[in-house]
Amino acid sequence: MRDGAVMVTGGAGYIGSHAVLALLDAGWRVVVVDNLVTGFDWAVDRRARLVVANVADDEKVRDAIREHGVTAIMHFAGSVVVPESVSDPLKYYRNNTAASRSLIESAVSEGVKHFIFSSTAATYGVPEVVPVREDSPQLPINPYGMSKLMTEHMLRDVAAAHPLNFAALRYFNVAGADPQGRSGQSTAGATHLIKIAAEAATGKRGHVSVFGTDFATRDGTGVRDYIHVSDLAAAHVDALDLLLAEPGKSHFLNAGYGRGYSVLEVLDAVDRVTNMKIERRMEGRRAGDPDELVSDNRAILEALPWRPKYDDLDRIVTDALSWERHLASRQ
Ligand SMILES: NC(=O)c1ccc[n+]([C@@H]2O[C@H](COP(=O)([O-])OP(=O)(O)OC[C@H]3O[C@@H](n4cnc5c(N)ncnc54)[C@H](O)[C@@H]3O)[C@@H](O)[C@H]2O)c1
């Protein structure tokens, strides 16, 4: 067992629940803070403690930090639907930016010295150069990306003023599910391609829409860098070790495989894995979708001992499908 505990905000959600598993498997004590607005209490492994609270609830968060001897925070909690951020920007500035500000303040006031933040490739907007490096211009094109970028800036400023270091991991497209079947993406109304395709494969929906067939890519559909959620969770555990080893240093790191697949390639993989032909409906582009969004991941590979274990599209699809079948069997 390691010294201290890790607070995982959003630990009842998709990525957070996998980080909880990775931390527990690595010997950490874990306390989850989640208000269950999109997460599920059953998604939190029983070995962790769950505090049902908003991360902006200073009293509950600070009590939990003290009670459990929290030495590091992994902050996954937030609102994640890009189109909703366009129609309701203040929700995103409240639940992502302002709530993160409260949480960071709680960390500083309680003497928590290490902070890992779920940032996003959406902070880059439409990148001019792909693969995207961490020092590329960050020009978000929606309030979601901006709400996350503002939190990155807060962390940088706070780390310069207080004894706290951080890692902001900029996730690319997260997909798949725990290979042992312990967690997966359970949120209704998903907007992620592989989740939607898995829902189509299990009969939850009739078709998959392909938004845009005239992108400047090899087959005209958008290219994205899909990272297996368990690899991403493992990167967080390694990032925490790095923060502990080098207290004065903070990091902005892309979290991706550095390789992209088009929408059609992803759907081909789903057809291959399921031995089915999922119906595809070609539709117009959505506003602001870049042609290609692929990480340059050399920095994370250099900074961490982390090496992806599931860097294989069919593997990602297989695990997403297993989870979707599991969800279907629960109903
Ligand atoms: N899924 C992706 O591809 C992706 C890509 C880039 C970044 N991210 C970031 O990763 C993080 C996790 O995303 P996810 O896909 O797991 O989403 P999710 O909706 O499954 O998980 C978010 C969790 O946070 C909780 N939550 C939300 N607001 C809260 C608050 N104010 N206080 C306490 N709990 C709160 C929800 O109940 C939920 O359990 C988010 O910060 C998101 O911006 C996700």
Side-chain angles (χ1 to χ4, degrees):
M1 195 56 87
R2 314 264 202 133
D3 281 346
V6 180
M7 175 175 280
V8 179
T9 77
Y14 171 45
I15 305 170
S17 63
H18 289 80
V20 169
L21 292 171
L23 285 164
L24 291 167
D25 293 348
W28 283 102
R29 278 192 299 119
V30 174
V31 51
V32 169
V33 175
D34 198 301
N35 62 5
L36 304 179
V37 65
T38 55
F40 304 92
D41 52 4
W42 51 258
V44 179
D45 189 282
R46 281 168 189 276
R47 292 170 288 169
R49 286 290 298 276
L50 170 62
V51 176
V52 179
N54 193 310
V55 296
D57 184 333
D58 296 340
E59 204 180 314
K60 284 193 182 151
V61 168
R62 291 174 196 205
D63 281 354
I65 290 173
R66 281 195 290 270
E67 186 189 338
H68 298 282
V70 168
T71 49
I73 296 178
M74 289 190 184
H75 179 35
F76 297 90
S79 300
V80 305
V81 183
V82 172
E84 185 191 46
S85 80
V86 175
S87 59
D88 190 359
L90 289 173
K91 173 175 175 179
Y92 281 69
Y93 291 118
R94 181 184 69 241
N95 204 43
N96 291 353
T97 314
S100 295
R101 199 210 71 86
S102 297
L103 178 69
I104 296 165
E105 191 167 45
S106 293
V108 169
S109 77
E110 294 302 322
V112 177
K113 295 202 168 47
H114 312 290
F115 199 99
I116 297 183
F117 173 56
S118 301
S119 192
T120 167
T123 59
Y124 294 118
V126 180
E128 274 185 17
V129 179
V130 179
V132 195
R133 281 168 40 144
E134 286 81 355
D135 57 3
S136 303
Q138 286 179 289
L139 301 166
I141 54 163
N142 48 58
Y144 169 71
M146 187 55 87
S147 72
K148 291 281 180 174
L149 180 57
M150 289 166 81
T151 305
E152 282 197 4
H153 289 322
M154 276 193 287
L155 282 169
R156 188 197 54 206
D157 295 344
V158 169
H162 299 283
L164 172 143
N165 65 348
F166 70 88
L169 301 186
R170 297 180 185 146
Y171 310 162
F172 282 65
N173 284 56
V174 188
D178 176 51
Q180 296 178 47
R182 296 172 296 176
S183 195
Q185 193 167 13
S186 309
T187 326
T191 52
H192 298 79
L193 174 64
I194 292 180
K195 168 80 176 167
I196 286 172
E199 287 180 355
T202 52
K204 247 191 202 169
R205 46 174 95 218
H207 70 276
V208 177
S209 294
V210 177
F211 294 106
T213 51
D214 58 349
F215 288 104
T217 59
R218 44 190 176 267
D219 62 20
T221 63
V223 168
R224 297 291 179 271
D225 184 343
Y226 295 91
I227 177 170
H228 193 294
V229 64
S230 296
D231 274 336
L232 181 61
H236 285 71
V237 178
D238 283 358
L240 176 54
D241 283 335
L242 179 64
L243 295 182
L244 290 162
E246 297 178 353
K249 272 189 85 178
S250 294
H251 307 264
F252 295 100
L253 296 171
N254 286 339
Y257 289 151
R259 180 156 48 95
Y261 290 103
S262 74
V263 174
L264 296 182
E265 286 166 346
V266 169
L267 296 178
D268 286 346
V270 176
D271 285 354
R272 198 162 51 233
V273 167
T274 55
N275 217 1
M276 289 166 66
K277 275 248 165 273
I278 311 263
E279 187 189 335
R280 307 166 181 194
R281 286 206 193 145
M282 304 304 168
E283 309 207 19
R285 287 186 186 208
R286 291 175 302 194
D289 266 349
D291 297 319
E292 198 169 335
L293 198 51
V294 173
S295 65
D296 180 324
N297 67 355
R298 284 174 294 179
I300 193 169
L301 291 173
E302 197 165 304
L304 305 182
W306 178 74
R307 293 293 173 267
K309 280 166 72 179
Y310 309 110
D311 178 3
D312 176 78
L313 185 58
D314 285 19
R315 177 63 197 254
I316 293 175
V317 166
T318 300
D319 289 342
L321 272 164
S322 302
W323 183 252
E324 208 53 51
R325 292 195 181 108
H326 169 74
L327 281 182
S329 71
R330 287 171 65 105
Q331 284 161 358

